[in-house]
Amino acid sequence: MSTIVITGTQWGDEGKGKIVDYLASKADTVVRFQGGCNAGHTVVADGEEYKLRLLPSGILYKGTLNIIANGVAFDPEVCLQEMDAMTARGIDTSNTRISDRAHVVMPYHRLMDGIGDAQRGADKIGTTGRGIGPCYMDRDDRIGIRVCDLMEKDEFAKKLKRNLDIKNGELAAVYHHEPLEYEEVLKEYQGYAERLRPLVTDTIPLLNEEIAAGHKILFEGAQATMLDIDYGTYPYVTASHPVSGGVTVGAGVAPKKIDKVVGIVKAYCTRVGEGPFPTEQLNAIGEKLREAGHEFGTVTGRPRRTGWLDAVVVRHAGLLSGIDYMAVTRLDILDGFDEIKICTGYKHKGQLLKGVPASLNVLAEVEPVYETFSGWKTDISGIRSYDDLPENARKYLERMAEITGIALGIVSVGPSREQTIVLAKDLF
């Protein structure tokens, strides 16, 4: 048995796509276990750039089984658009399997997501408006429509009618929006159902059979720890569980079947949307990080907020997900800095805090405690051995591991697969 979970340790956009792609090249099966098309992975393969939103990263490898599991908020329109785009580029998507238990994102979810967040005014979450939160809300309210319902023509028609009766009332009374037309939505989604039907299955036995057969399984999530619905900077979070524990409920796999957890750590910090960000640099340093790292959203194109590495956050992620190794990404973005900082702790009203506080009022008031490192001021993108990295880069990495308590497993010095230095010997 060889199963690896990839989880983001910060606020997302850590470069998970690069590491997932590297490990996916060695995997037999790649599983997306949570989130929706509101997040994306950018993968560079053979000089080609691919922006993935719902399809697992194993889609780029012929013969790899790709599973969209039950924990995903599944948007059939986006999935088909993505599959068509891949096919146009010569990539076979027929080895994709979609869980019949996944909940379906509907048009009213997208409407309510966008309009609802706008109505919050100054308290807006900063959602992408893709309907993910409202889809999960309906799941928890037990009125969700699942992929298995979409596959049953009469059942889907019945549930759509029931839900539109409810949602159109809400759209009019709460959101001041015209109603959705039942026949239009029915026809649209029935068309999706027919195209997707050959790919839909019960992925729980399929996945567990793959594990029992000793195949190499890679679990990839979207977003990251600080956007987890329970453990992140609530309410400025996503609506699911990107931590490693999300695999058990999001893919139907027992905890004891997880072998290793790899946490993706960007060498600095970014976040999108609202909420406290203790190490944010609203200055020339922040702008330099944004420009050097091309820090704009994969799906939305929004400029990301930028700051120094927050080791308190990474340590928090390590505790929550039982991270065995950190994969440090985008180290090369720091090549041009004279000095670099790591936040090692938070002070609040003179007291050193042990971890990330639940209260956003407290988190917004904390004073980051920094350690400062001399930069290496040289291009590291061509380096392929850890020992060949500049001494100052190694000092930075090794102190990062010491503060967080997580061993170094992978160091990325650029976007391409070959720009990957692997230290861990017990991954795929």
Side-chain angles (χ1 to χ4, degrees):
M1 183 173 74
S2 184
T3 56
I4 296 176
V5 178
I6 298 291
T7 184
T9 61
Q10 296 152 302
W11 280 275
D13 308 310
E14 298 97 346
K16 291 188 294 296
K18 155 71 185 285
I19 304 303
V20 167
D21 173 67
Y22 179 83
L23 293 172
S25 69
K26 306 171 188 302
D28 300 302
T29 301
V30 181
V31 184
R32 173 75 179 271
F33 65 89
Q34 55 78 221
C37 64
N38 57 334
H41 290 160
T42 299
V43 173
V44 178
D46 300 324
E48 294 281 325
E49 186 176 81
Y50 300 88
K51 294 184 182 293
L52 303 175
R53 295 166 68 183
L54 280 175
L55 291 177
S57 298
I59 201 71
L60 301 177
Y61 297 95
K62 190 173 183 179
T64 301
L65 178 62
N66 296 277
I67 294 177
I68 299 173
N70 58 276
V72 174
F74 181 70
D75 190 321
E77 179 183 16
V78 170
C79 185
L80 286 166
Q81 287 173 350
E82 195 170 359
M83 291 174 72
D84 289 343
M86 287 292 177
T87 300
R89 297 177 74 172
I91 294 169
D92 181 14
T93 62
S94 63
N95 215 19
T96 303
R97 296 294 178 268
I98 302 163
S99 172
D100 55 6
R101 288 178 168 85
H103 280 255
V104 179
V105 175
M106 302 298 296
Y108 45 79
H109 292 142
R110 291 188 289 267
L111 278 174
M112 291 174 167
D113 198 9
I115 300 171
D117 200 43
Q119 288 183 347
R120 292 187 179 100
D123 295 323
K124 70 180 187 296
I125 304 300
T127 175
T128 61
R130 304 287 175 173
I132 311 307
C135 178
Y136 284 129
M137 287 169 63
D138 278 2
R139 176 196 65 183
D140 294 345
D141 199 27
R142 288 160 291 199
I143 61 168
I145 294 175
R146 298 189 295 170
V147 171
C148 61
D149 302 319
L150 186 61
M151 294 300 108
E152 298 177 17
K153 188 174 182 179
D154 292 343
E155 185 69 12
F156 177 70
K158 180 178 72 174
K159 288 188 174 180
L160 176 63
K161 181 67 167 62
R162 175 202 65 190
N163 281 13
L164 277 183
D165 286 346
I166 297 169
K167 302 299 181 180
N168 278 337
E170 292 178 8
L171 283 170
V174 179
Y175 300 97
H176 311 296
H177 195 280
E178 64 272 11
L180 293 169
E181 293 294 331
Y182 169 75
E183 292 294 341
E184 288 181 9
V185 178
L186 180 67
K187 182 178 179 181
E188 177 185 352
Y189 275 71
Q190 284 178 340
Y192 299 151
E194 291 314 304
R195 288 195 61 193
L196 292 168
R197 191 176 301 281
L199 308 179
V200 173
T201 189
D202 184 349
T203 58
I204 296 171
L206 172 62
L207 180 52
N208 281 278
E209 285 165 8
E210 289 285 304
I211 295 172
H215 293 168
K216 297 174 182 177
I217 317 294
L218 183 66
F219 295 94
E220 60 166 328
Q223 292 96 18
T225 301
M226 294 306 291
L227 296 177
D228 185 280
I229 186 71
D230 279 331
Y231 304 114
T233 47
Y234 186 90
Y236 303 105
V237 292
T238 193
S240 58
H241 294 290
V243 296
S244 65
V247 170
T248 63
V249 293
V253 173
K256 65 181 181 180
K257 293 184 179 180
I258 296 172
D259 290 332
K260 291 283 187 300
V261 181
V262 176
I264 314 301
V265 183
K266 188 183 283 187
Y268 51 99
C269 258
T270 63
R271 78 169 297 177
V272 172
E274 308 301 318
F277 182 5
T279 65
E280 184 171 15
Q281 299 296 301
L282 297 170
N283 51 31
I285 290 170
E287 190 59 36
K288 184 174 180 179
L289 285 168
R290 185 177 301 108
E291 292 302 318
H294 307 290
E295 292 294 351
F296 301 90
T298 298
V299 173
T300 64
R302 290 186 293 182
R304 296 174 185 142
R305 299 158 66 187
T306 56
W308 294 122
L309 176 68
D310 190 333
V312 181
V313 160
V314 177
R315 189 165 59 227
H316 177 68
L319 293 173
L320 291 170
S321 286
I323 296 173
D324 297 288
Y325 295 112
M326 66 170 72
V328 180
T329 62
R330 317 219 78 196
L331 186 66
D332 54 301
I333 302 304
L334 300 179
D335 286 353
F337 286 80
D338 294 318
E339 65 177 31
I340 301 159
K341 295 184 179 183
I342 295 179
C343 171
T344 62
Y346 298 151
K347 276 189 177 179
H348 184 253
K349 297 183 178 178
Q351 298 294 315
L352 188 64
L353 304 182
K354 290 184 177 180
V356 178
S359 168
L360 295 199
N361 291 327
V362 173
L363 188 60
E365 294 171 356
V366 298
E367 176 189 348
V369 178
Y370 286 114
E371 286 186 16
T372 302
F373 300 79
S374 296
W376 42 93
K377 299 291 288 183
T378 188
D379 181 1
I380 63 172
S381 62
I383 294 174
R384 299 294 179 266
S385 166
Y386 183 78
D387 291 338
D388 290 338
L389 286 171
E391 181 182 4
N392 285 349
R394 285 184 277 115
K395 284 182 178 178
Y396 181 68
L397 291 167
E398 287 158 18
R399 182 59 177 145
M400 189 189 305
E402 185 178 9
I403 297 166
T404 60
I406 306 170
L408 284 169
I410 297 174
V411 177
S412 172
V413 294
S416 300
R417 291 172 184 164
E418 62 271 14
Q419 293 174 297
T420 310
I421 301 169
V422 180
L423 291 81
K425 303 303 181 186
D426 55 349
L427 299 176
F428 292 155

